[in-house]
Amino acid sequence: MIPSRIMYHALRFTTYVLFGIVFLFLFSPAAAQESGRAVTDDEVNAIAKELYCPICESTPLDVCPTQACKDWREVIRTKLAEGQTEAEIKAYFELQYGARALAEPPQSGFSLSAWIMPIVLVIAVLFGFIYYMRSIRTPQSPQASGVDESGTLVQDPQIQPEPDQDDYVARIERELRDI
Amino acid sequence: MFKGWNVGLIIFTYILVILGTLNVRSGLVSSVHSFAQSNIGWFFLGFLGFMILFSLYWIVVRYDQLRSKNQIDSFLSREAAFMLNNVLFLLIAAVTLFFTYLPVMSELVTGQRMTVGASFFEKFNGPLFAALLVLMGIAPLTMWYRTSIRWLRRMTFGPLVAATLAVVILFILDVRNWLALLGFWIVTFSLILTIFEFIRPGYKRVRNKGESPFKAVSGFITQNRRRYGGYIIHLGVLVMAFGIISTELYQQETQIRLTRGNSVPLGEFSMVFNGVERYPGPDDLEITEASVDVFKDGEFVRTLNPRTELYTRTQQPMTIPGVRSTFTEDFYVIMINWEGTSADAATFRIYVNPLINWVWAGAFIFLAGTLVAAWPDPAEDKIVAAERSRRRIAISGATGD
């Protein structure tokens, strides 16, 4: 004879396990597949947009009209129905067709240069620009002044009339006088 | 001070044009123009090399004439603003060039061609274009040689407040994309500054000379075509920027299979599929044309006819979209697939592109600005002629002729 207390705990445990199994089943990818979840074209395109046709270069998968791309879009649909995430699907395409299937180069190996080089370039050029500007900057000359091109003298105490320095400035001054 | 820069940029631009043609004609970089791929690529390569050498030769020969007194008084000056403007344009060109050739470089290094998608170009060039737009607004305020911070602060305070207010209003109107808000803030700020460049002298002329506003504006534009042509170009770019930001960040799209009589909603719009008709076109064309009714906020707008045209001899298909275009948005529908009369169903891809026509409007303003700037100026011609004559006399005097 099993004591009722043990029976009660056994029943409670069984109920929890059953609920757990049902919960896992309901929310598992397999359940999504078997539940026949209809994947919309928009869901497929949202991922296809981030992938590129491995055959027709520079053509995103969502707009590529070839039969191969239609098939690949169906692969995305199937995988979404199986419950795979966007990252998993992209990883699958990368594994199958290489990094060229991705719209953005991966952040590893040679592809890392795509991420680093532009930043290095921008920083280097801006530093170069500042260095160059500092090198051509004249000492604080007393005649340094601002000239409003419109011919309107700006009432700022720092602004003085500027004598001609070269042909170009002379021409600007001449045009200003003619306005 | 920009003589060398100007010549250098003109040469660089021309060489890039040749390089671009070489890319697509040789098949080096794949593009939508690759259909024109041919052996002419070698000719372009030779021509490119020749142009580089030819340009370098003339730069060396004319170096003394191109060299100018490269000196600036302050970082806050128009010279510095021009220089930064050039640097930003060159950076955008360099980044674009780097990404264009990256697939080729990766193939050389790793043996596998990588893809650099459009979104990747936008990711890196977007901030550079944003900086360019800010500079576009501020640069006209700077003065030759030196500009005081106090002056800049005074001139930008009002536009800064107005742009911030505009963004707050957009936020209240449920615009919550921070990238869009930042973009609209920059564009509004620069737009107000640029418009002030017209209002300020116009107001002075109206007040001092008693001219009508139209006469005042046309008067100072005529007097300084190049400068105001440039500002009109700025206006065009800013209008284009409004369109690009809106379309990039607020484009709506959907793809759906519809059977006859079914409808699909998209934003404020909905579309009902009426059916498909197939008929022969001119020559060897076979046309499959769908009929769809477009509704906005529940009210009928118009019927569109997206279609596919098949050249039966070459089996070359063409997709012709149905477009309803207004100044505020485009409703754009493509028929992707028709399943035949038995199924009476078709698959459509639909886009709503907000403010896309602003890009066109901006381009026309840009063109108008270019015309204003480049239009021959008799007064300037006289100055140039006088200058030439002065130099001729000086040279003949020096040589004793």
Side-chain angles (χ1 to χ4, degrees):
Chain A
M1 186 76 183
I2 301 166
S4 61
R5 189 180 166 76
I6 293 173
M7 191 71 175
Y8 166 73
H9 281 297
L11 269 174
R12 204 170 72 162
F13 177 73
T14 312
T15 313
Y16 285 156
V17 169
L18 280 174
F19 264 112
I21 290 168
V22 170
F23 183 84
L24 277 174
F25 178 78
L26 280 175
F27 293 95
S28 71
Q33 186 190 9
E34 284 175 23
S35 67
R37 185 175 82 83
V39 178
T40 63
D41 286 347
D42 288 345
E43 286 174 278
V44 173
N45 284 339
I47 296 173
K49 206 185 283 249
E50 301 290 317
L51 295 168
Y52 270 64
C53 173
I55 296 172
C56 333
E57 264 183 65
S58 307
T59 312
L61 205 56
D62 66 321
V63 293
C64 186
T66 60
Q67 186 57 44
C69 284
K70 280 181 192 166
D71 294 342
W72 282 317
R73 285 197 291 270
E74 285 313 306
V75 171
I76 296 174
R77 191 185 302 276
T78 310
K79 289 193 174 296
L80 278 172
E82 285 170 1
Q84 291 196 18
T85 61
E86 184 180 333
E88 285 169 335
I89 296 170
K90 280 185 184 173
Y92 166 80
F93 272 89
E94 189 184 352
L95 195 68
Q96 290 290 313
Y97 308 105
R100 67 184 305 177
L102 303 173
E104 291 191 351
Q107 294 178 1
S108 60
F110 179 79
S111 304
L112 195 61
S113 64
W115 295 86
I116 294 174
M117 283 303 284
I119 298 168
V120 171
L121 183 75
V122 170
I123 293 171
V125 168
L126 289 181
F127 268 103
F129 171 71
I130 292 168
Y131 178 79
Y132 175 69
M133 295 301 273
R134 285 173 77 96
S135 72
I136 63 168
R137 194 171 165 193
T138 53
Q140 296 292 315
S141 53
Q143 78 271 28
S145 63
V147 177
D148 182 352
E149 207 185 354
S150 69
T152 310
L153 190 65
V154 179
Q155 296 304 314
D156 191 299
Q158 291 185 26
I159 292 170
Q160 309 270 322
E162 170 66 18
D164 294 355
Q165 288 189 346
D166 63 17
D167 290 350
Y168 187 60
V169 178
R171 188 171 162 194
I172 291 167
E173 294 297 335
R174 201 164 51 236
E175 286 181 10
L176 286 175
R177 280 196 298 274
D178 292 339
I179 289 175
Chain B
M1 107 177 242
F2 290 102
K3 276 185 278 189
W5 267 99
N6 286 341
V7 171
L9 287 175
I10 289 166
I11 291 170
F12 185 58
T13 307
Y14 184 67
I15 284 171
L16 285 182
V17 169
I18 305 296
L19 186 65
T21 319
L22 167 70
N23 282 341
V24 290
R25 295 299 188 263
S26 64
L28 191 64
V29 174
S30 104
S31 89
V32 290
H33 300 291
S34 291
F35 64 87
Q37 189 177 325
S38 67
N39 290 333
I40 207 167
W42 288 106
F43 166 76
F44 273 105
L45 185 64
F47 186 58
L48 180 72
F50 169 74
M51 280 314 300
I52 292 172
L53 291 174
F54 181 78
S55 309
L56 282 175
Y57 170 77
W58 281 108
I59 286 176
V60 171
V61 168
R62 297 279 163 94
Y63 182 71
D64 281 343
Q65 282 165 277
L66 292 173
R67 201 175 50 181
S68 49
K69 198 174 170 184
N70 284 344
Q71 280 193 336
I72 59 159
D73 277 17
S74 162
F75 280 104
L76 279 177
S77 62
R78 187 162 286 196
E79 295 91 322
F82 270 128
M83 200 80 92
L84 184 59
N85 172 73
N86 289 350
V87 166
L88 283 172
F89 270 121
L90 284 175
L91 267 177
I92 291 168
V95 169
T96 306
L97 209 60
F98 175 68
F99 285 154
T100 307
Y101 284 105
L102 201 55
V104 182
M105 287 192 275
S106 79
E107 196 171 19
L108 282 173
V109 176
T110 66
Q112 199 186 40
R113 217 176 168 98
M114 73 163 76
T115 301
V116 184
S119 59
F120 206 68
F121 282 82
E122 289 163 8
K123 193 173 281 184
F124 285 91
N125 275 339
L128 293 174
F129 271 110
L132 201 62
L133 290 179
V134 173
L135 187 65
M136 198 183 281
I138 292 175
L141 296 176
T142 56
M143 284 171 270
W144 296 106
Y145 307 114
R146 176 170 298 166
T147 313
S148 72
I149 293 177
R150 196 178 50 192
W151 159 259
L152 271 184
R153 208 184 292 146
R154 202 176 80 198
M155 299 306 284
T156 53
F157 181 73
L160 271 175
V161 172
T164 309
L165 270 175
V167 165
V168 168
I169 291 168
L170 284 174
F171 187 81
I172 292 166
L173 292 173
D174 218 23
V175 175
R176 295 295 153 88
N177 185 323
W178 72 268
L179 213 55
L181 290 172
L182 179 68
F184 287 134
W185 182 81
I186 289 171
V187 177
T188 312
F189 170 64
S190 290
L191 188 68
I192 295 168
L193 284 170
T194 311
I195 289 171
F196 267 123
E197 290 301 317
F198 290 90
I199 292 177
R200 218 176 291 123
Y203 175 70
K204 277 181 188 165
R205 280 180 76 125
V206 170
R207 195 184 57 187
N208 298 341
K209 296 187 176 179
E211 290 175 343
S212 70
F214 177 77
K215 198 178 170 193
V217 172
S218 59
F220 67 73
I221 288 178
T222 318
Q223 275 184 343
N224 200 339
R225 285 203 181 100
R226 263 186 292 174
R227 185 152 73 98
Y228 287 100
Y231 292 160
I232 294 170
I233 289 172
H234 283 191
L235 284 178
V237 171
L238 292 167
V239 170
M240 273 195 264
F242 266 117
I244 292 167
I245 293 168
S246 305
T247 307
E248 282 287 319
L249 299 173
Y250 287 98
Q251 184 190 53
Q252 293 172 295
E253 64 171 287
T254 189
Q255 182 175 312
I256 196 162
R257 176 183 179 273
L258 291 175
T259 49
R260 187 198 287 262
N262 278 359
S263 71
V264 56
L266 182 62
E268 296 171 322
F269 290 89
S270 64
M271 188 188 89
V272 178
F273 173 45
N274 300 323
V276 170
E277 197 184 347
R278 178 171 274 184
Y279 56 90
D283 300 325
D284 61 334
L285 263 186
E286 188 181 81
I287 298 171
T288 308
E289 187 176 87
S291 165
V292 295
D293 285 343
V294 181
F295 296 83
K296 188 177 183 186
D297 295 324
E299 285 190 23
F300 173 75
V301 176
R302 64 179 285 193
T303 300
L304 295 176
N305 298 104
R307 64 183 191 274
T308 53
E309 295 180 348
L310 181 72
Y311 290 86
T312 49
R313 266 202 298 268
T314 54
Q315 287 294 302
Q316 185 75 37
M318 269 183 76
T319 305
I320 315 290
V323 186
R324 183 248 183 192
S325 190
T326 67
F327 201 61
T328 49
E329 81 263 299
D330 271 17
F331 184 93
Y332 186 99
V333 56
I334 307 166
M335 181 169 58
I336 289 177
N337 185 32
W338 178 54
E339 296 171 24
T341 40
S342 55
D344 213 4
T347 303
F348 294 97
R349 188 140 189 193
I350 312 164
Y351 298 89
V352 174
N353 298 322
L355 302 190
I356 189 77
N357 278 329
W358 286 42
V359 180
W360 286 103
F364 284 119
I365 296 171
F366 190 108
L367 193 65
T370 311
L371 282 176
V372 169
W375 205 262
D377 184 353
E380 191 178 330
D381 289 348
K382 270 184 202 165
I383 294 171
V384 174
E387 184 70 16
R388 276 187 187 147
S389 146
R390 188 182 68 78
R391 283 187 188 183
R392 251 198 311 270
I393 291 165
I395 291 167
S396 59
T399 54
D401 291 341

